[in-house]
Amino acid sequence: MQQAIDILKTNNLSITDSRTKILAAFLKKNYALAYSDMEKKFKDIFDRATIYRTLSTFIEKGIIHSIPTSDNISMYALCKNECTEHHHHDEHVHFICNDCGETTCLDKITIPKVKLPKGYKAADVKMIVSGQCEQCN
Amino acid sequence: MQQAIDILKTNNLSITDSRTKILAAFLKKNYALAYSDMEKKFKDIFDRATIYRTLSTFIEKGIIHSIPTSDNISMYALCKNECTEHHHHDEHVHFICNDCGETTCLDKITIPKVKLPKGYKAADVKMIVSGQCEQCN
DNA sequence: GTAACTGCAAAATATTTGCATCCTT
DNA sequence: AAGGATGCAAATATTTTGCAGTTAC
């Protein structure tokens, strides 16, 4: 909880109940959370709108990033230290387990460089691997 | 148009107006289309539900595949010949242009293999590069 | 003729917004 | 005290579903 508060302070965000608790939820898990997970957890304490607004605030500040999934469900995960506002560096591989459904950030695995056709300029690269995770294999 | 009909026949799908026209739209473009593009184009001729159902049918049959985007908008693109039902092989890189917004399949660029942590088994890999495309650079 | 496909309407789900009130600083 | 954050309600967007009528083969 203190860690969450520290992160909020670092990002010049006021310390509110929803921000602290939602951020703490991310800190506790090492995998990505969907909005629906938030809703399940916080429905009774916080309003939908507050949860959505808190998530967008975190994304703007570079505290979390969104992970594109093939079924187009918004998933969010903590950014690592290198992320700053308007400048994300989540250039690691994301893994989605088809069995348990958990989305994990494989922080250690860097995305290999690809050579694009000439004329193309890359600004950001995302890589999503799906299959079976450690526990489910 | 004839090409669309042939593809439908190959996949044992009955030839209907919506399937033919929607598939033809994909064949005409070499970039990915969002549902909203379909809607703009076909709103007056086909029902929403028909468009959605047609797209799911195409995905099931391996005619098109969905591309995960960071803003979680469903994008669809034609699968190449190697795709068959329940067994997609769209292991190429997708490119999203931040300027013109077009999503292109870079068929020629294969996704490099990554070494996953032990215990993880990959079934499918997706790679999305965003930046500036040929025309916008 | 029959099974599959479509349109329509409604439901379910997901996300956003305005505004009055409350809380953080 | 002042500005930002929240809750509530409603609006908007997105996707799915049941069912009756229509069409492809």
Side-chain angles (χ1 to χ4, degrees):
Chain A
M1 211 64 152
Q2 186 52 48
Q3 196 188 350
I5 294 175
D6 290 343
I7 294 175
L8 292 176
K9 280 184 184 159
T10 309
N11 286 279
N12 293 313
L13 291 172
S14 52
I15 316 298
T16 68
D17 203 36
S18 62
R19 288 180 180 164
T20 317
K21 290 220 173 75
I22 290 175
L23 184 46
F26 278 108
L27 290 165
K28 204 161 59 182
K29 306 279 185 183
N30 62 340
Y31 50 86
L33 299 170
Y35 165 75
S36 60
D37 295 321
M38 299 281 116
E39 183 164 279
K40 255 178 268 160
K41 222 178 159 69
F42 297 120
K43 199 181 196 126
D44 302 326
I45 352 179
F46 306 125
D47 190 70
R48 256 197 311 273
T50 303
I51 300 177
Y52 277 112
R53 283 189 279 228
T54 303
L55 291 173
S56 343
T57 305
F58 287 174
I59 289 176
E60 267 171 41
K61 289 291 183 177
I63 299 173
I64 62 175
H65 59 272
S66 78
I67 303 167
T69 58
S70 27
D71 48 1
N72 286 293
I73 286 174
S74 306
M75 299 286 301
Y76 309 93
L78 275 185
C79 291
K80 300 304 159 188
N81 359 4
E82 321 92 72
C83 282
T84 58
E85 188 163 5
H86 305 311
H87 197 93
H88 280 257
H89 282 288
D90 51 320
E91 302 231 333
H92 56 269
V93 176
H94 287 110
F95 189 90
I96 303 178
C97 179
N98 292 330
D99 290 357
C100 67
E102 272 183 19
T103 300
T104 322
C105 295
L106 301 177
D107 302 308
K108 304 288 165 48
I109 315 290
T110 330
I111 298 181
K113 293 277 166 287
V114 279
K115 199 171 148 38
L116 296 175
K118 72 161 176 298
Y120 287 82
K121 205 161 71 186
D124 186 56
V125 183
K126 293 189 188 297
M127 189 161 187
I128 301 105
V129 182
S130 54
Q132 287 186 303
C133 76
E134 219 176 348
Q135 280 88 29
C136 298
N137 203 346
Chain B
M1 210 65 152
Q2 186 52 49
Q3 196 188 349
I5 293 176
D6 290 344
I7 294 175
L8 292 176
K9 279 184 183 160
T10 309
N11 286 281
N12 294 313
L13 290 173
S14 52
I15 316 299
T16 68
D17 204 35
S18 62
R19 287 180 181 165
T20 317
K21 290 220 173 74
I22 290 176
L23 183 46
F26 278 109
L27 290 165
K28 204 161 59 183
K29 307 278 184 182
N30 62 339
Y31 50 85
L33 299 171
Y35 165 77
S36 60
D37 295 322
M38 299 282 117
E39 182 164 279
K40 254 178 268 158
K41 222 178 160 66
F42 298 120
K43 199 183 197 121
D44 303 327
I45 352 178
F46 307 125
D47 189 71
R48 257 197 309 274
T50 302
I51 301 177
Y52 276 112
R53 282 189 280 228
T54 303
L55 291 172
S56 344
T57 305
F58 287 174
I59 289 176
E60 268 171 41
K61 289 291 183 176
I63 299 173
I64 62 176
H65 59 270
S66 78
I67 303 167
T69 58
S70 26
D71 47 3
N72 286 293
I73 286 173
S74 306
M75 299 287 301
Y76 308 94
L78 276 183
C79 291
K80 300 303 160 190
N81 0 4
E82 322 92 71
C83 281
T84 59
E85 188 163 5
H86 304 310
H87 197 95
H88 281 258
H89 283 287
D90 52 319
E91 304 231 333
H92 56 268
V93 177
H94 288 109
F95 189 90
I96 303 178
C97 179
N98 293 330
D99 290 358
C100 66
E102 271 182 21
T103 300
T104 322
C105 295
L106 302 177
D107 302 308
K108 305 288 165 48
I109 315 289
T110 330
I111 297 180
K113 292 277 167 288
V114 279
K115 201 172 148 38
L116 295 175
K118 71 161 176 300
Y120 286 82
K121 205 161 70 187
D124 186 58
V125 183
K126 291 188 187 299
M127 189 161 186
I128 301 105
V129 183
S130 54
Q132 287 185 305
C133 77
E134 219 176 350
Q135 280 86 28
C136 298
N137 202 348

